[in-house]
Amino acid sequence: MANYTLTTPLTSEDTKKLQAGDTVLLNGTIFTARDAAHKRLVELIEKGEELPFDLEGSIIYFVGPTPPKPGDPIGSAGPTTSYRMDSFSPTMLKHGSKGMIGKGKRNQAVKDACVDYDGIYFGATGGAGALLGKQITSAEIIAYPELGPEAVRKITVKDFPVTVINDTHGNDLYQMGRAQYEVKD
């Protein structure tokens, strides 16, 4: 397992070098979206309409941040459970996104899409939302403000800590970790 520092947007060259279990510090622009926003974004893709941001090389963080304290760009920003985006993530990867950040396991279709489209599923530490929020230096709602905390935001991150869960090679950190301790008959 290796440590990397990457700046967005990501390329296939960036994602192909990553392995499940690697730790990454992300810098640059990422976008926030949860299930309601993903549904709308995929509908736009299916209609051939323009999205509120360029998917090419993007990372999407599954988060519904809390309101910021005065002077802060964002409040607590911990990851949400990712399986709610499983039906949408393959489409997002197919159309240029290179990464997703959340918590929890993903279904086989998402893992396959990571392999097919050079995507990465990063895990962020649940329960550490206040600390993760401190790595966000700016935040701006760019679409669907009526969704409140689930609106699409453009955020800038500095040394945002994540771990590679699903890589471009079909590896799954959760399965790898479990296999280490499985008792064989």
Side-chain angles (χ1 to χ4, degrees), residues 34-36 38-40 42 84-93:
R34 286 181 48 170
D35 34 329
H38 270 78
K39 183 177 188 301
R40 293 181 186 189
V42 167
R84 291 193 308 255
M85 276 56 73
D86 280 359
S87 62
F88 308 115
S89 293
T91 300
M92 302 296 277
L93 290 166

Side-chain angles (χ1 to χ4, degrees), residues 19 27 68-69 110 112 126 129 140 142 163 179:
Q19 300 282 328
N27 292 287
K69 292 178 183 173
V110 174
D112 291 344
E140 167 192 7
I142 60 168
T163 301

Side-chain angles (χ1 to χ4, degrees), residues 5-133:
T5 299
L6 295 174
T7 301
T8 63
L10 298 185
T11 64
S12 289
E13 183 179 324
D14 292 326
T15 61
K16 286 181 178 181
K17 69 183 174 188
L18 300 175
Q19 300 282 328
D22 289 347
T23 57
V24 178
L25 295 176
L26 291 172
N27 292 287
T29 299
I30 63 176
F31 300 92
T32 70
R34 286 181 48 170
D35 34 329
H38 270 78
K39 183 177 188 301
R40 293 181 186 189
L41 294 169
V42 167
E43 286 171 352
L44 289 175
I45 289 170
E46 289 171 348
K47 292 177 186 175
E49 296 180 14
E50 189 173 336
L51 295 178
F53 62 95
D54 185 5
L55 272 183
E56 195 61 40
S58 68
I59 295 178
I60 300 173
Y61 185 20
F62 308 149
V63 62
T66 63
K69 292 178 183 173
D72 290 343
I74 202 161
S76 181
T80 196
T81 305
S82 300
Y83 75 83
R84 291 193 308 255
M85 276 56 73
D86 280 359
S87 62
F88 308 115
S89 293
T91 300
M92 302 296 277
L93 290 166
K94 180 179 180 181
H95 287 88
S97 183
K98 287 294 181 200
M100 306 155 282
I101 305 169
K103 67 178 181 181
K105 63 183 181 177
R106 308 306 300 274
N107 70 19
Q108 192 60 47
V110 174
K111 292 186 234 181
D112 291 344
C114 284
V115 172
D116 294 343
Y117 306 112
D118 300 331
I120 295 289
Y121 170 52
F122 296 104
T125 304
L131 293 172
L132 292 170

Side-chain angles (χ1 to χ4, degrees), residues 127-142:
L131 293 172
L132 292 170
K134 292 181 186 300
Q135 303 310 121
I136 298 170
T137 60
S138 69
E140 167 192 7
I141 294 175
I142 60 168

Side-chain angles (χ1 to χ4, degrees), residues 127-168:
L131 293 172
L132 292 170
K134 292 181 186 300
Q135 303 310 121
I136 298 170
T137 60
S138 69
E140 167 192 7
I141 294 175
I142 60 168
Y144 317 129
E146 68 278 8
L147 295 178
E150 296 191 36
V152 175
R153 286 173 174 75
K154 176 182 178 181
I155 63 176
T156 304
V157 296
K158 173 115 177 78
D159 294 334
F160 192 87
V162 292
T163 301
V164 176
I165 305 298
N166 300 118
D167 63 27
T168 63

